[in-house]
């Protein structure tokens, strides 16, 4: 076999090897594209399933809340309703709802009896409520009359059934007895507080009232109203 023939065979072999390599590369790229396509479809399907599950969960939560609305609207059944709901819907949702409704007793229950995550969420919610309560109480002693009226009104409407309001209110007011407007606002809030919450703080309340009544006739009249409120429905 002459040199020219050998050279042709080598060239043919090289071409064949090149074509085989290109074919393999093409098949690999084709497989990669198919794999990416399948993975993309799988991700989309997974996202769709998650989306459907999320919507179903939200729908279930909405339906559960709807059933409890009549009980959430009444102070005497609100806490029991929230505690019962926690067994049917996401605990974080109930914690957020309890914070919005200023249900501190429920949050304190979660803080003691919940999982570590639930305890952390309840603690954060209680801390935020404590901050908001403090800001409002400070405002009833503000130099601005509109600010005092706004804060007093909100405390009466939204916070008067909060068991934690009395200790904080008395603490701030006791340090500002010379602020006549603030003391009057304090007594107005106390007058609207449920008797059982007043009685739960009877000792501190009595001490504060004995000092507050010395501020004048108007204050003394409000003190009498609070004292009558504290002894009501016994």
């Amino acid at each position: 076999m002459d040199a020219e023939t050998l050279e042709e065979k080598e060239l043919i072999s090289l071409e064949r090897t090149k074509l085989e390599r290109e074919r393999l590369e093409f098949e690999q790229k084709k497989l990669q594209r198919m794999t990416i396509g399948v993975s993309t479809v799988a991700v989309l399907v997974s996202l769709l399933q998650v989306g459907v599950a999320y919507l179903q969960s939200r729908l279930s939560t909405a339906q559960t809340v709807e059933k409890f609305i009549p009980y959430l609207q009444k102070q005497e059944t609100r806490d029991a309703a929230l505690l019962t709901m926690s067994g049917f819907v996401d605990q974080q949702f109930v914690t957020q709802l309890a914070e919005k409704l200023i249900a501190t007793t429920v949050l304190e229950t979660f803080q003691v009896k919940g999982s570590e995550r639930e305890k952390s969420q309840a603690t954060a919610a209680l801390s935020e409520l404590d901050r908001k309560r403090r800001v409002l109480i400070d405002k009833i002693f503000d130099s601005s009359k509109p600010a005092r009226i706004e804060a007093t009104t909100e405390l009466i409407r939204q916070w008067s059934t909060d068991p934690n309001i009395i200790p904080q209110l008395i603490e701030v007011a006791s340090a500002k007895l010379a602020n006549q407007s603030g003391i009057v606002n304090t007594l107005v809030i106390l007058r609207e507080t449920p008797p059982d919450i007043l009685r739960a703080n009877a000792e501190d309340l009595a001490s504060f009232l004995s000092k507050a009544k010395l501020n004048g006739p108007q204050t003394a009249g409000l003190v009498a109203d609070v004292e009558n409120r504290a002894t009501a429905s016994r």
Side-chain angles (χ1 to χ4, degrees):
M1 185 177 297
D2 55 26
E4 186 178 347
T5 303
L6 284 172
E7 186 177 350
E8 288 179 356
K9 284 188 174 183
E10 288 178 0
L11 288 173
I12 291 172
S13 178
L14 288 172
E15 287 296 324
R16 184 178 297 159
T17 301
K18 180 181 177 182
L19 289 171
E20 184 65 23
R21 186 173 62 252
E22 290 176 350
R23 186 186 67 80
L24 288 173
E25 289 176 354
F26 175 78
E27 292 294 333
Q28 288 176 347
K29 289 179 180 179
K30 181 180 177 181
L31 180 61
Q32 287 174 351
R33 286 195 296 270
M34 291 177 62
T35 302
I36 292 172
V38 171
S39 299
T40 302
V41 171
V43 170
L44 290 174
V45 170
S46 296
L47 288 173
L48 181 60
Q49 290 174 335
V50 170
V52 170
Y54 174 77
L55 290 175
Q56 289 176 335
S57 174
R58 299 296 289 184
L59 178 60
S60 175
T61 298
Q63 291 172 335
T64 301
V65 172
E66 183 181 13
K67 295 176 182 176
F68 280 91
I69 284 177
Y71 305 100
L72 293 171
Q73 291 176 324
K74 299 177 182 179
Q75 175 60 32
E76 61 271 22
T77 57
R78 183 197 64 190
D79 290 359
L82 286 167
L83 291 171
T84 303
M85 280 177 60
S86 65
F88 297 96
V89 300
D90 180 65
Q91 181 74 36
Q92 184 176 2
F93 173 82
V94 180
T95 298
Q96 292 172 342
L97 184 57
E99 181 180 351
K100 290 183 183 299
L101 295 176
I102 315 178
T104 52
T105 301
V106 173
L107 291 171
E108 287 168 354
T109 299
F110 292 161
Q111 190 180 41
V112 174
K113 297 183 178 180
S115 64
E116 289 305 313
R117 178 170 174 269
E118 292 165 356
K119 288 178 180 179
S120 177
Q121 292 170 349
T123 298
L126 286 167
S127 178
E128 179 61 14
L129 287 178
D130 185 71
R131 184 193 67 80
K132 290 179 179 178
R133 189 190 307 109
R134 172 68 69 170
V135 169
L136 287 170
I137 290 174
D138 284 340
K139 279 187 177 181
I140 70 175
F141 293 88
D142 198 271
S143 59
S144 167
K145 184 176 180 180
R148 294 197 304 270
I149 293 174
E150 182 181 1
T152 301
T153 301
E154 184 171 348
L155 284 168
I156 290 173
R157 290 180 177 176
Q158 304 294 330
W159 296 78
S160 62
T161 58
D162 173 18
N164 295 326
I165 191 173
I166 302 300
Q168 206 165 31
L169 192 60
I170 289 176
E171 176 191 351
V172 175
S174 295
K176 299 182 179 183
L177 288 170
N179 188 318
Q180 181 72 16
S181 296
I183 295 301
V184 168
N185 292 336
T186 299
L187 293 169
V188 169
I189 295 168
L190 291 172
R191 188 179 60 184
E192 301 302 321
T193 302
D196 58 323
I197 295 180
L198 293 175
R199 288 194 289 269
N201 298 273
E203 186 175 345
D204 291 337
L205 180 63
S207 176
F208 167 70
L209 293 178
S210 65
K211 299 172 185 176
K213 70 172 58 177
L214 302 177
N215 278 24
Q218 181 186 13
T219 305
L222 288 170
V223 167
D225 290 342
V226 175
E227 290 173 337
N228 290 335
R229 176 77 163 170
T231 58
S233 302
R234 276 190 167 177

